[in-house]
Amino acid sequence: MRKIIILLFVGLVVTLSSCRQDFVFEPSTGDLVFSRDTIYLDTVFANIGSSTYTLKVYNKSDKDIKIPTIRLAKGVGTKYRMTVDGMTGADNRVFHDVELLAKDSMYIFIETTANIGDANPTDFLYTDQIEFDSGDNLQKVELVTLIQDAYFIFPNNTNGIIEQIPIGFEENGDILETNGRNLSHSHPDNGNEYLFRTDKPYVVYGYASVPNGETLTIPAGARVHFHADSGLVIQSGGSLHIEGKILQQLH
């Protein structure tokens, strides 16, 4: 009986040892493959978050590997943030001992929120790098985004109640409203909103309204961006004046 117990114990040890070998991760050797070497994030406006961009990382070797670190090069000062294979890491900036199976891949998702002052003053580009490992095994993926300052038009929010403007009538005759506000002649940030400027673009959240008796003038060269579910409403009695520019005189 004792021999049988010893044999069972030896068999169990061998089995466990065999299983552990299947999960041994070797250090990365700098042979990762990336879906792209530079990620260009679309133009973002000051202090408005970007869309989420994707980087795919491949381990094309026959070995399970462990990447000692994946980090943003600018560290805690960076305006980028990322998640790695569903993990948020330390402040979305540093990840340690990231495991990647042989012939497998993982996703990294990247976002940014930055101010115009964070960008290079000569080209308004804000850059960073995702660094994989270090020393001789260091690999990098570049991050590049263009930052613009802007005039922002959005409805007021008072104690959680968003300002509404009329945009028509319901079938039963009730007034139909949506999130928005009337433009102002003396907005504290934008100045006279009835005469758009050309030095910075306008970004509209919700609906900008031109009420009765008012005229919105948009000069040549003005840039206007509308967020999702946003627009411009010219109320009854209001008007819109758009100034074009003749590029070539026809004879």
Side-chain angles (χ1 to χ4, degrees), residues 6-226:
I6 292 174
L7 288 175
L8 288 173
F9 177 76
V10 171
L12 180 61
V13 171
V14 171
T15 301
L16 291 175
S17 299
S18 175
C19 290
R20 282 198 298 270
Q21 292 300 319
D22 293 336
F23 296 96
V24 173
F25 288 83
E26 299 187 4
S28 172
T29 57
D31 295 321
L32 297 170
V33 178
F34 309 110
S35 57
R36 60 182 100 177
D37 57 10
T38 302
I39 298 176
Y40 297 96
L41 288 79
D42 286 342
T43 300
V44 298
F45 296 101
N47 292 322
I48 301 297
S50 71
S51 299
T52 302
Y53 294 79
T54 303
L55 173 70
K56 198 169 185 180
V57 182
Y58 301 89
N59 172 19
K60 295 194 173 182
S61 73
D62 296 321
K63 299 178 179 179
D64 301 333
I65 63 171
K66 181 180 291 185
I67 308 168
T69 56
I70 299 176
R71 60 183 175 271
L72 290 163
K74 289 185 177 179
V76 295
T78 188
K79 301 300 180 181
Y80 289 100
R81 55 192 178 274
M82 62 182 177
T83 58
V84 175
D85 212 24
M87 300 178 294
T88 56
D91 298 324
N92 300 109
R93 296 176 177 89
V94 182
F95 300 78
H96 297 284
D97 297 327
V98 179
E99 298 173 348
L100 188 55
L101 296 174
K103 304 296 183 181
D104 201 357
S105 62
M106 66 181 178
Y107 285 98
I108 296 180
F109 299 101
I110 306 102
E111 300 174 330
T112 186
T113 303
N115 199 307
I116 191 68
D118 300 313
N120 185 329
T122 60
D123 56 16
F124 301 104
L125 292 179
Y126 182 69
T127 61
D128 201 346
Q129 298 172 327
I130 304 177
E131 295 184 340
F132 298 81
D133 210 335
S134 60
D136 293 338
N137 295 331
L138 177 63
Q139 293 180 270
K140 300 179 180 181
V141 172
E142 303 290 334
L143 302 175
V144 180
T145 189
L146 176 66
I147 302 175
Q148 289 190 29
D149 199 1
Y151 296 110
F152 296 96
I153 297 175
F154 51 88
N156 297 313
N157 187 330
T158 305
N159 297 324
I161 300 175
I162 300 176
E163 187 175 0
Q164 303 282 298
I165 59 167
I167 58 171
F169 294 90
E170 300 276 9
E171 291 183 1
N172 61 5
D174 291 342
I175 297 176
L176 179 63
E177 295 183 329
T178 190
N179 295 339
R181 69 169 173 84
N182 290 332
L183 297 178
S184 170
H185 283 288
S186 56
H187 191 273
D189 298 319
N190 303 337
N192 182 10
E193 295 177 328
Y194 287 102
L195 177 59
F196 278 12
R197 305 178 187 181
T198 59
D199 58 329
K200 296 188 294 186
Y202 285 78
V203 180
V204 180
Y205 285 79
Y207 284 83
S209 171
V210 180
N212 178 36
E214 298 286 0
T215 298
L216 168 62
T217 299
I218 302 179
R223 293 159 292 165
V224 186
H225 302 261
F226 293 95

